[in-house]
């Protein structure tokens, strides 16, 4: 794989800190392209936070609040390494609250599909005013694209001894270095498609941590689910900036095989909250 030239300053700094070149290059081989979406900047508009909730007539009402959508046809080829559909919209739903069960969903609406506007509060059967106020504070506005590169933001496995990632003896040093360097290379955005999951306070991979819960949920639905984290990818990250949930991160994760087959109903959504 040809090294991404944007990571040259990171490599130079790692070598300057006496991290062996072989360890640095093994780490750089993990780099993934990702799409950073923000409400600012001058990139092309590829989606929107909020807006009307448009779903096909035969689609059930979502069980979680509506976050926004991304136009897949507007994403340039190679902006992620995910096997995404070539067109249509991905609609994201989530509740930024920690729970053992999936706290959101993803719906793919194919291009040209007939849609109808839905009630954004249909998920709230209990009429909880405080929850509705939370959702009303969700961000609104067009999302603009910046093509970025992503490296792991974590250096250990989610085990009690926090052992380093296999094959990467300097992983914790390199993850820490990336935390310092990424602001100048690929600043964190509000919504990220693909790449590596990130959190405000992170020690291990959020995707790996989500897999055990995802396996349990998938098994309950009778789906074939892998317990090997290598079979799972980050579909999207949302860095939540909402009162009472500031510091929360929502992770939409999927098995790569499900993503390639368009089985978006099998997405699993986890939430990290650092109050």
């Amino acid at each position: 794989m040809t090294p991404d030239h944007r990571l040259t300053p990171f490599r130079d700094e790692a070598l300057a800190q006496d991290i062996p070149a072989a360890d640095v290059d093994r780490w750089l081989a993990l780099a993934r392209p990702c799409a950073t979406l923000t409400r600012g900047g001058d990139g092309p508009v590829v989606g929107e936070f909020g807006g009307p909730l448009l779903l096909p007539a035969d689609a059930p009402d979502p069980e979680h609040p509506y976050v926004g959508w991304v136009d897949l046809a507007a994403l340039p080829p190679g902006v992620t390494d995910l096997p995404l559909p070539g067109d249509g919209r991905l609609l994201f739903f989530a509740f930024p609250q920690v729970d053992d069960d999936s706290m959101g969903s993803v719906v793919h609406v194919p291009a040209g599909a007939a849609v109808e506007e839905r009630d954004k509060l249909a998920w709230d059967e209990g009429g909880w005013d405080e929850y509705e106020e939370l959702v009303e504070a969700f961000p609104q506005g067009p999302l603009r694209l910046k093509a970025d590169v992503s490296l792991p933001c974590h250096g250990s496995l989610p085990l009690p001894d926090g052992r380093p990632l296999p094959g990467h003896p300097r992983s914790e040093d390199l993850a820490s270095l990336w935390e310092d360097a990424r602001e100048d290379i690929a600043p964190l955005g509000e919504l990220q498609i693909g790449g590596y999951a990130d959190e405000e306070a992170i020690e291990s991979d959020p995707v790996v941590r989500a897999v055990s819960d995802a396996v349990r949920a998938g098994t309950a639905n009778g789906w074939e689910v892998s317990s090997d984290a290598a079979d799972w990818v980050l579909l999207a990250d949302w860095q939540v900036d909402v009162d009472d949930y500031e510091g929360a991160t929502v992770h939409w994760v999927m098995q790569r095989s499900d993503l390639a087959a368009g089985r978006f109903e099998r997405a699993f959504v986890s939430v990290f909250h650092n109050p």
Side-chain angles (χ1 to χ4, degrees):
M1 182 179 70
T2 302
D4 192 305
H5 67 89
R6 292 172 292 186
L7 294 173
T8 298
F10 172 84
R11 184 179 191 277
D12 291 344
E13 181 61 26
L15 295 176
Q17 295 190 18
D18 295 326
I19 299 177
D23 291 335
V24 177
D25 290 339
R26 277 198 297 271
W27 193 252
L28 292 177
L30 299 174
R32 294 175 180 168
C34 67
T36 299
L37 309 184
T38 63
R39 285 176 290 169
D42 55 4
V45 174
V46 298
E48 182 180 11
F49 273 138
L53 173 54
L54 303 174
L55 288 169
D58 60 351
D61 285 331
E63 297 181 2
H64 299 90
Y66 175 51
V67 176
W69 56 269
V70 173
D71 180 1
L72 295 174
L75 298 179
V79 74
T80 79
D81 61 357
L82 300 176
L84 294 167
D87 59 28
R89 289 184 174 186
L90 277 189
L91 276 60
F92 293 93
F93 302 86
F95 200 100
Q97 184 166 299
V98 178
D99 198 294
D100 290 336
D101 295 320
S102 187
M103 295 303 294
S105 61
V106 184
V107 174
H108 177 230
V109 179
V115 295
E116 61 181 19
E117 186 168 354
R118 299 289 186 86
D119 179 6
K120 290 184 181 180
L121 296 177
W123 57 272
D124 185 18
E125 297 179 353
W128 295 90
D129 290 342
E130 63 270 32
Y131 287 166
E132 293 184 6
E133 290 174 4
L134 166 67
V135 173
E136 288 173 358
F138 278 12
Q140 306 287 314
L143 286 165
R144 296 182 177 274
L145 169 69
K146 182 175 181 290
D148 273 327
V149 61
S150 178
L151 281 170
C153 307
H154 51 277
S156 62
L157 293 171
L159 300 171
D161 58 0
R163 69 185 64 167
L165 299 184
H168 300 280
R170 299 296 298 273
S171 59
E172 293 185 357
D173 294 332
L174 288 159
S176 178
L177 180 59
W178 175 242
E179 183 179 356
D180 294 335
R182 72 176 296 171
E183 183 63 28
D184 294 326
I185 298 174
L188 193 64
E190 295 174 271
L191 187 69
Q192 177 180 302
I193 308 298
Y196 289 95
D198 198 359
E199 291 173 352
E200 184 180 48
I202 185 169
E203 295 180 355
S204 57
D205 186 352
V207 174
V208 174
R209 295 205 311 269
V211 167
S212 60
D213 291 332
V215 168
R216 177 174 49 78
T219 301
N221 283 297
W223 300 334
E224 183 177 345
V225 185
S226 172
S227 60
D228 185 350
D231 294 331
W232 293 76
V233 294
L234 175 75
L235 174 58
D237 254 8
W238 174 31
Q239 304 295 325
V240 182
D241 186 11
V242 176
D243 286 348
D244 296 331
Y245 286 86
E246 185 177 358
T249 307
V250 177
H251 310 289
W252 288 268
V253 303
M254 291 186 68
Q255 292 185 109
R256 183 175 285 272
S257 58
D258 286 335
L259 184 54
R263 295 188 286 259
F264 288 97
E265 72 279 3
R266 300 191 182 186
F268 185 83
V269 182
S270 66
V271 177
F272 170 86
H273 190 206
N274 185 34

